[in-house]
Amino acid sequence: MFSDRKEYDDFWDFKAMLPPKKKSAVFSRDTEAVEIDLDADVENNNVASYRIPARKNGQARVSQHLPTLDQSYQPNNALIKSISVYRWPSKYTFYERFLANAQKYHFFAAEECEYVPFFSYIPQYIQLTKEQLNYYLWWRENQRRGVKIKTDYSYILLYIYEIINIPDLIEPSVGIILLSKLYLDWRGDFPKLDKCMPDWICDYCCIYKLDPPFDLLQGVVGTLQSESSFREFFLPFNCNDEDRLQLALLSLGCTYNWRKSKFYNCDTSSLFEKHIPTCFIYVAKKLSLTDDRLKMDSSSLPALKLTRDAFFGSLCAYNVKRRIDIEYYSLRSSPQIRELITNIVKFSENQIRSIAHIRSRFSSVNLDDRVKKAVLEYFAPYLAKAKKETIPDSEPEYMKQYESATSGLTPERAREIEKRSWYITEKLVEAFEEDDALSDETYDTNNLIDSTVRNDVTDSSLSRADTARIGLKHLCDSDFESFDTWAKSLHMLPDSAVEFINEQFYDEIGDICIESDGDRYRVIEDYLDDINKLI
Amino acid sequence: MDIARNEKVPRRILASLINSLVAGVVPRIGAPYIAIGREDEISALLSDLENVSEGGSSMRFIIGKYGSGKSFLMQLIRGFSLERGFLTADCDLSPERRICGSKGTGIATYRELMKNLSSKSSPDGGAIQSVIAKWLSNLQLEVAAEGLSPESASFAERLSAKIFDVSRSLQSQIGGFDFAHVINTYYKAYLADDDTKMASCLRWIRGEYSTKTEAKSALGVGSIIDDDNWFDYLKLMAVFVQKIGYRGLIVFIDECVNLYKIPNRISRENNYEKLLSMFNDTLGGRSPGLGVVLGGTPQFLEDSRRGLFSYEALKSRLSDGRFANTAFKNLSGPVIKLRRLSDDELYALITRATKLHAQYYDWQARITQDEMRAFFDTCLNRIGANSMITPREVLRDYLSLLDILRQNEEATFDKVMEGQLITPIQTESDEANEKQYQSFAAEDIEI
């Protein structure tokens, strides 16, 4: 079958059977035109076969898709070991037009004009109408001068993007000031800035080797620390200040925000602000010799690496965007340290509550005895002083309205009061008056009985009182059957009949004379004598 | 003291009154006879009753410290209301009885109110049955008065028509349709002598059905009185009792401090919201014939963290106006603030108690004015008395002293009070008064 070995081996060579691989063209995004000379090298006048020459600088203009190191340095922050800044690895260019426009408009002068609203999720110059552009420039001019006029969030973002993207025109040391002022001026009106500016300021400083402008941002350091994804960057300390290191430990390591305690108010805030940090420093210093967890030098903390995408979420041109690698010492990585710091703070707050005479306490704060002892040692003089100054329970102001108007006894006045009170007693006990008779819409039992009493039971000449006496007599004799018959004859239920009798004789006895004992109606024994006189 | 000379307190009332005072409880009967001070407050509440009887509605908060006389004032007005032809219902709130709540705490209040529904002839509660019975028998009398014979068919027709007139007029109220249906069912059961059905109707009115299914199968009504709607039915009851001849329905709810003590803020605010709704309904004229009186402590009203004033809507309605002044009273608002009785008023109370005790036991109290004064000073000079002394304690101790003197001929005031007398600090006016009263003896006290 196969004449020779080679032919035999070639049988298993599938390369001939496979379709040829298409060679992928070197693809450039460059759309600039290239001049060609059709007269030369044309075979048989067939343009299609003419080979288009390669771009002269084409290869150089395509971005490397491998990151290249821009710079690496150690910042002036004891918690950050090193920062490495890389050019952004990308095959493509982006936001070049924005960059060009930013460079162009940076020098544009502004004229005063009316406010024009503008909205865009990613604002760019090409989205602006002429009026919007004029207003943006006018607003930017005022912002540069420190004058605050009406603006929209999109205008602010546009200016931020401008500052970020033209570091060659805006010196970074000036740029960070502009960014910080912009943030401080508008964060009240646009709280969304709190979400993005801390990270952008951090990236800007890292890229251009700047220290955070704490003198400007001191009022918002708390927000910067809480909102930034890299909190360690905004800790205001240097390597030689041990107290500040410990405060940094407190700030980053404590999971409990004592400023949000329900007992943190205008009366107690000074106690909290004074004692929590001071007590922590005291305890940390006292225990650092024996407890490695509280040692404050960087070597005792775990080192972590963080990669940041600079200006994430913003509009950043390809040649400005950077990748930032940060090596730092983390205060947050150890749950044990964080638990210890948090418990120290909570135990300290318990002592502050004692000083402020607040009963409520954090329960079961899990602390080592040595740590508790250190905290109590710090608070001892303050607690002793607070005990001496026990605040007496004072009655609220409104209770004065419930005290008697006069004090002291004057028997004559008392006699007058007692005498006068009989008038109110009379008013309260006087019998039901005829003038207050029930209205026509309601039922007047007495009148009805006058008209409906049957002759075979009672004499028509009998008065209401006489009629009632009959019923009363039956009850006095405990003749309940006769009483029921008598009530029925008056077309009344026993309840109504009893009420009728009571009403008839109330004036004479001064009280009801029949009451129910649950089963039957009975005459009240206290008035038996009076009743016997009546019947 | 002309009126007092001729005033005869009925013996039964006097017995109940004296027994209550000796026991240190608020007297249910006879309270007008020891109503010392509080004239303005009583007048304000009486005018509310007048308003209710004319078809209006009222709501008052009686606020005072423990022992200031809140419950006494409420009992006083309750007794007066009963005598004047009102129906009354009273209850004390507790952890199990609230204005609003899940697990039946709201309906428990309503049930207690219905259980304690009282009329003049049933002053101790349980009047619902007698009220309806009286109404039916009065209707029968009315029909008979029109000349129809009770045995005739037209009598029954006419009677039914009158009952349906009343029940139809209730249908415009919330829950009125079912209420009218129950009343009609009660009447039919009454005619058929069906006690079981009548009892079911009363159960429904008292809010004792816990499920709609049960009520539906027993009475054919699709709704029950529950935690959410009990006040609507109370309003309906007020309209009903006015239609059947009473002047109105007065509801007394005491110990409202239990709402202040509810630990859960949401639950507490739900109760306050319900109170607000009741307040708006009554003072907005949407509860004809209904008067509501609530008793509570100053903390219940004015504590800005847990009291009624912590609920802004109630605070704006219940707080004093700009011109409020501790020196002047203003009783036109919904809140009556009870000051502690002054020393003069307490002393007047002792004087009254002496007279009542003497009348009841038919004896001359062997106690002089000086001795009464000495007793009073002893009470006032006890530790804490200046803020904590209450009429309850003073009366209880004083009547106990009188009882000892009455039952022991050889006992004298000095011997009984031995070791407890404190010489009061005499002022110039005291000395002058003492000279004036030195000639007084017990016989001079007129009854």
Side-chain angles (χ1 to χ4, degrees), chain A residues 95-110:
Chain A
Y95 291 128
E96 286 175 289
R97 187 164 177 189
F98 177 85
L99 186 58
N101 286 336
Q103 288 164 343
K104 181 173 83 177
Y105 290 121
H106 177 70
F107 297 104
F108 264 46

Side-chain angles (χ1 to χ4, degrees), chain B residues 170-182:
Chain B
L170 297 174
Q171 288 177 11
S172 59
Q173 307 285 328
I174 296 172
F177 188 81
D178 284 336
F179 189 90
H181 180 85
V182 169

Side-chain angles (χ1 to χ4, degrees), chain A residues 403 413 421 443 496 511 527, chain B residues 12 65 137 142 344 352:
Chain A
E403 292 302 320
R413 218 163 43 203
S421 71
Y443 303 105
S496 309
D511 191 11
Y527 303 127
Chain B
R12 176 175 165 268
K65 286 181 166 182
S137 65
E142 208 175 277
D344 294 332
R352 176 66 61 84

Side-chain angles (χ1 to χ4, degrees), chain A residues 395 398-415 417-432 436-438 441-443 445 448-449 451-452 454 490-493 495-496 498-499 502-503 506 509-512 514-516 521 524 526-527 530, chain B residues 1 3-4 7 10-13 32-33 35-36 39 42-43 46 63-65 76 80 83-84 121 130 133-135 137-142 144-145 150 190 242-245 247 298-299 301-303 320 326 337-345 347-348 352 355 373 376 430 433 436-437 440:
Chain A
E395 232 179 28
Y398 59 76
M399 292 298 274
K400 286 181 189 168
Q401 301 170 72
Y402 301 92
E403 292 302 320
S404 66
T406 57
S407 62
L409 171 64
T410 306
E412 203 169 75
R413 218 163 43 203
R415 279 195 347 153
I417 290 170
E418 197 270 332
K419 183 181 171 184
R420 224 174 38 230
S421 71
W422 280 112
Y423 289 99
I424 202 79
T425 302
E426 190 192 8
K427 195 175 171 183
L428 289 169
V429 302
E430 67 188 357
F432 185 77
D436 292 329
L438 298 168
E441 292 180 34
T442 57
Y443 303 105
T445 310
L448 287 171
I449 288 173
S451 58
T452 61
R454 287 170 57 177
L490 296 178
H491 308 291
M492 293 166 83
L493 291 170
D495 296 341
S496 309
V498 163
E499 197 165 321
N502 280 334
E503 280 173 9
Y506 191 90
I509 297 177
D511 191 11
I512 58 174
I514 305 171
E515 65 178 1
S516 168
Y521 285 102
I524 297 172
D526 288 341
Y527 303 127
D530 295 323
Chain B
M1 207 182 295
I3 293 169
E7 185 71 38
R11 189 168 176 76
R12 176 175 165 268
I13 292 175
Y33 296 99
I36 303 290
E39 288 94 0
I42 290 170
S43 299
L46 294 186
I63 303 294
K65 286 181 166 182
L76 192 67
F80 180 85
E83 294 303 321
R84 284 294 175 278
S121 56
S130 64
K134 181 188 172 187
W135 171 53
S137 65
N138 285 341
L139 280 180
Q140 286 176 322
L141 283 173
E142 208 175 277
Y190 163 73
Q242 269 202 327
K243 288 211 178 293
I244 65 173
R247 287 186 132 184
Q299 291 85 353
L301 177 72
E302 304 203 45
D303 190 298
D320 295 328
T326 50
K337 293 185 180 177
L338 293 185
R339 289 180 175 274
R340 211 163 56 86
L341 286 182
S342 64
D343 294 347
D344 294 332
E345 286 164 340
Y347 190 78
R352 176 66 61 84
K355 294 175 187 176
R373 176 75 191 268
F376 188 69
D430 287 343
N433 287 333
Q436 184 183 356
Y437 292 120
F440 258 79

Side-chain angles (χ1 to χ4, degrees), chain A residues 27-243:
Chain A
F27 193 53
S28 167
R29 294 291 184 202
D30 187 3
T31 55
E32 278 194 20
V34 177
E35 281 193 11
I36 55 172
D37 186 2
L38 287 173
D39 292 334
D41 297 334
V42 172
E43 294 175 6
N44 302 322
N45 290 320
N46 187 355
V47 178
S49 65
Y50 184 80
R51 193 179 175 78
I52 296 173
R55 177 194 295 277
K56 284 178 186 174
N57 294 321
Q59 294 299 329
R61 291 195 63 179
V62 171
S63 301
Q64 297 293 326
H65 46 272
L66 290 173
T68 50
L69 181 65
D70 217 7
Q71 58 177 321
S72 182
Y73 65 96
Q74 186 175 9
N76 186 25
N77 185 323
L79 287 180
I80 303 177
K81 194 174 172 187
S82 69
I83 294 179
S84 304
V85 182
Y86 295 85
R87 290 191 175 269
W88 188 253
S90 172
K91 293 184 208 174
Y92 315 108
T93 61
F94 44 86
Y95 291 128
E96 286 175 289
R97 187 164 177 189
F98 177 85
L99 186 58
N101 286 336
Q103 288 164 343
K104 181 173 83 177
Y105 290 121
H106 177 70
F107 297 104
F108 264 46
E111 287 174 4
E112 187 172 354
C113 55
E114 291 293 313
Y115 162 74
V116 180
F118 169 55
F119 173 77
S120 172
Y121 288 109
I122 306 285
Q124 299 178 56
Y125 297 99
I126 54 171
Q127 297 164 351
L128 296 169
T129 63
K130 190 180 171 192
E131 290 77 21
Q132 286 169 335
L133 178 62
N134 288 339
Y135 186 74
Y136 167 71
L137 294 173
W138 173 238
W139 170 76
R140 188 184 66 177
E141 182 69 32
N142 280 277
Q143 182 63 29
R144 283 171 177 169
R145 283 192 270 127
V147 177
K148 206 173 164 185
I149 62 172
K150 187 174 179 179
T151 189
D152 287 328
Y153 185 58
S154 299
Y155 284 132
I156 295 172
L157 284 180
L158 185 58
Y159 188 31
I160 292 171
Y161 299 160
E162 186 178 306
I163 296 168
I164 288 171
N165 281 279
I166 48 174
D168 46 344
L169 294 179
I170 301 177
E171 188 63 35
S173 57
V174 174
I176 189 62
I177 304 295
L178 288 174
L179 285 173
S180 302
K181 280 187 177 171
L182 195 61
Y183 175 48
L184 289 172
D185 286 346
W186 295 105
R187 63 182 291 266
D189 297 301
F190 302 102
K192 285 189 279 189
L193 286 171
D194 284 338
K195 298 294 176 194
C196 55
M197 285 303 284
D199 278 332
W200 292 348
I201 289 173
C202 171
D203 294 337
Y204 197 87
C205 293
C206 287
I207 292 171
Y208 302 111
K209 290 171 75 173
L210 300 167
D211 286 332
F214 286 118
D215 49 347
L216 263 182
L217 296 171
Q218 58 186 351
V220 294
V221 167
T223 306
L224 290 169
Q225 287 175 1
S226 61
E227 296 296 338
S228 172
S229 57
F230 183 40
R231 297 171 71 185
E232 283 80 355
F233 185 79
F234 290 105
L235 291 173
F237 63 91
N238 59 46
C239 304
N240 299 322
D241 190 334
E242 192 182 340
D243 280 1

